[in-house]
């Protein structure tokens, strides 16, 4: 008991100290302008995935912008292909709807659907149990399935399966890539990006030419037919360019690498917390404190613009728009002060 007597004041001090800790915010030295909303959405964003967002009224936003399609109540959007839209519920139900919001396929699983992709009649799914499935929706038959190791927790950013011409790449929740031959429906190879039981799911997956780039929160991997390269960082997001890769880190850095992940240049924005990125002629980074950082692709120059609001909830970006709450604006229209 005497040890408890001395321990209690220490615990109280630690608790008080912890409660008093305040996150330090990004504070730009100068602003190049400010951004105003260009319009409003018919409803508020209630869910976001890498490829789109769901509004409270059921409408969805894809990379092509706001759609007239609506998912049923209780469902959220996962992905789209050729005017077909995938949605899922918290009760492990999955549906595919057409342009008229009509359900053309539905199936219930034994675990929540973490991510999914569609190509013609083939539906690729990653379940919350870390099982992957390839389904022929026309025949409603399973073409391929594989269960991975049990995962105890994963990041909310979850990459979707990726269809290539004759291959399918499954990003797993324990940090692996399963490469499946679509002609034989057999596993060709598995690649470990960074495999852990906690928060190690693949958060980014893209292909450019003959190069595949994937990332977990702890590592980026770049794969081509001849080699494989790794970069260990606390990753927030990744952009793959023609011959370069941009890695956005948890501590506010942008790292420019070559295609083999060799660092070319790094730029740090002190205390910045990145919540969204898009790119075109410039790279636009959305910062949680209410700023948009615009930089050239070589990280030579940058400008900071003030957003109408701090980012406190879901945000989604397309090639030229940023959607937040029930508003949107075009990223190409900064107003100079």
């Amino acid at each position: 008991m005497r040890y408890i007597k001395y321990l209690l004041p220490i615990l109280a001090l630690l608790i008080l100290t912890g409660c008093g800790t305040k996150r330090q915010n990004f504070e730009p030295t100068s602003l190049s302008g400010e951004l105003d909303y260009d319009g409003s959405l018919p409803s508020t964003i209630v869910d976001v995935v890498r490829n789109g967002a769901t509004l409270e009224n059921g409408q969805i936003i894809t990379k092509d912008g706001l759609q007239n399609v609506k998912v049923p109540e209780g469902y959220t959007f996962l992905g789209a292909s050729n005017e077909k839209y995938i949605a899922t519920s918290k009760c492990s139900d999955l549906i595919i709807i057409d342009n008229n919001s009509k359900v053309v396929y539905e199936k219930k699983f034994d675990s929540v659907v973490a991510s999914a992709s569609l190509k013609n009649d083939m539906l690729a799914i990653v379940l919350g149990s870390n099982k992957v499935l390839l389904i022929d929706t026309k025949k409603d038959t399973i073409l391929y399935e594989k269960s991975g190791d049990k995962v105890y927790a994963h990041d909310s950013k979850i990459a979707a399966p990726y269809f290539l011409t004759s291959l399918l790449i499954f990003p797993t929740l324990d940090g692996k890539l399963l490469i499946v031959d679509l002609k034989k429906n057999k596993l060709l190879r598995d690649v470990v990006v960074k495999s852990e039981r906690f928060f190690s799911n693949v958060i980014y997956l893209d292909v450019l030419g003959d190069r595949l780039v994937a990332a977990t929160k702890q590592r980026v991997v770049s794969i081509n037919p001849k080699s494989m390269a790794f970069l260990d960082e606390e990753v927030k997001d990744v952009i793959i360019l023609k011959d370069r890769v941009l890695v956005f880190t948890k501590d506010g850095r942008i790292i420019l690498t070559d295609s083999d992940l060799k660092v070319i240049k790094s730029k740090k924005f002190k205390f910045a917390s990145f919540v969204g990125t898009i790119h075109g002629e410039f790279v636009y980074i959305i910062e949680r404190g209410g700023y948009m950082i615009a930089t050239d692709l070589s990280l030579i120059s940058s400008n900071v613009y003030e957003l109408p609001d701090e980012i406190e909830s879901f945000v989604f970006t397309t090639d030229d728009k940023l959607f937040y709450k029930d508003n949107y604006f075009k990223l190409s229209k900064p107003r100079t002060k």
Side-chain angles (χ1 to χ4, degrees):
M1 291 294 293
R2 61 176 179 172
Y3 295 109
I4 295 176
K5 177 182 177 182
Y6 293 112
L7 184 60
L8 287 175
I10 296 173
L11 289 174
L13 179 62
L14 289 172
I15 292 170
L16 289 172
T17 303
C19 291
T21 301
K22 185 178 180 181
R23 187 182 79 86
Q24 291 182 287
N25 299 319
F26 170 64
E27 296 181 1
T29 54
S30 63
L31 289 173
S32 298
E34 58 185 25
L35 293 166
D36 293 325
Y37 291 123
D38 291 304
S40 60
L41 296 170
S43 188
T44 301
I45 297 174
V46 294
D47 189 78
V48 167
V49 292
R50 183 169 286 277
N51 295 318
T54 308
L55 304 187
E56 191 173 21
N57 71 347
Q59 271 185 268
I60 63 174
I61 306 172
T62 70
K63 288 295 185 181
D64 295 323
L66 181 66
Q67 306 295 316
N68 289 323
V69 174
K70 285 188 176 183
V71 299
E73 185 177 355
Y75 282 78
T76 53
F77 172 68
L78 283 181
S81 176
N82 294 328
E83 299 185 342
K84 296 287 178 65
Y85 307 89
I86 312 167
T88 186
S89 74
K90 292 181 180 179
C91 297
S92 308
D93 299 301
L94 178 143
I95 59 172
I96 299 174
I97 60 176
D98 61 16
N99 259 340
N100 298 313
S101 303
K102 179 183 176 182
V103 176
V104 295
Y105 179 80
E106 58 184 322
K107 196 172 185 68
K108 187 174 184 64
F109 297 94
D110 56 8
S111 179
V112 295
V113 180
S115 67
S117 296
L118 184 67
K119 182 181 180 182
N120 300 325
D121 296 321
M122 291 187 293
L123 174 66
I125 294 172
V126 179
L127 295 178
S129 61
N130 203 26
K131 176 191 282 188
V132 302
L133 295 156
L134 176 62
I135 298 172
D136 183 330
T137 59
K138 193 172 184 180
K139 299 178 181 178
D140 196 23
T141 57
I142 296 175
L143 303 176
Y144 177 82
E145 67 177 310
K146 183 177 176 61
S147 296
D149 294 335
K150 186 176 181 179
V151 174
Y152 298 104
H154 58 74
D155 187 81
S156 59
K157 287 184 179 179
I158 302 173
Y162 197 105
F163 283 99
L164 291 173
T165 305
S166 60
L167 299 175
L168 169 61
I169 305 168
F170 282 107
T172 72
L173 299 185
D174 60 343
K176 299 176 184 176
L177 302 175
L178 305 181
I179 303 175
V180 176
D181 184 339
L182 288 175
K183 293 180 180 179
K184 299 179 180 179
N185 295 323
K186 290 185 178 181
L187 182 67
L188 289 179
R189 182 184 179 189
D190 62 343
V191 177
V192 177
V193 182
K194 184 79 171 180
S195 188
E196 304 285 349
R197 296 295 181 93
F198 294 91
F199 301 107
S200 192
N201 56 287
V202 178
I203 63 172
Y204 178 86
L205 173 62
D206 203 357
V207 176
L208 185 62
D210 63 350
R211 182 170 299 278
L212 183 155
V213 175
T216 66
K217 289 184 70 174
Q218 301 88 17
R219 173 177 286 176
V220 185
V221 60
S222 177
I223 306 168
N224 66 29
K226 296 181 180 180
S227 65
M228 183 185 306
F230 298 94
L231 179 67
D232 289 328
E233 290 287 350
E234 291 295 317
V235 181
K236 290 286 286 187
D237 205 354
V238 178
I239 290 176
I240 177 174
L241 307 173
K242 183 177 180 180
D243 57 355
R244 295 183 179 187
V245 178
L246 284 170
V247 180
F248 303 85
T249 69
K250 187 177 179 180
D251 64 353
R253 285 175 297 140
I254 308 174
I255 303 172
L256 175 65
T257 79
D258 64 13
S259 55
D260 292 318
L261 300 180
K262 293 180 181 178
V263 177
I264 299 172
K265 189 172 183 179
S266 177
K267 193 163 189 173
K268 183 174 176 64
F269 296 89
K270 192 175 181 180
F271 303 129
S273 177
F274 304 140
V275 295
T277 56
I278 66 170
H279 75 90
E281 183 181 354
F282 296 93
V283 178
Y284 300 93
I285 311 108
I286 310 306
E287 201 279 324
R288 187 176 299 279
Y291 301 99
M292 184 188 76
I293 302 168
T295 180
D296 64 288
L297 299 180
S298 298
L299 305 185
I300 295 173
S301 61
S302 62
N303 294 296
V304 180
Y305 298 91
E306 188 173 11
L307 300 175
D309 296 300
E310 293 185 12
I311 307 300
E312 299 174 330
S313 59
F314 299 108
V315 61
F316 180 67
T317 57
T318 63
D319 286 343
D320 63 348
K321 291 185 179 70
L322 183 145
F323 299 86
Y324 179 59
K325 292 184 177 179
D326 58 353
N327 296 293
Y328 73 89
F329 53 79
K330 293 184 179 181
L331 296 177
S332 58
K333 293 176 62 178
R335 189 180 74 218
T336 303
K337 284 186 172 181

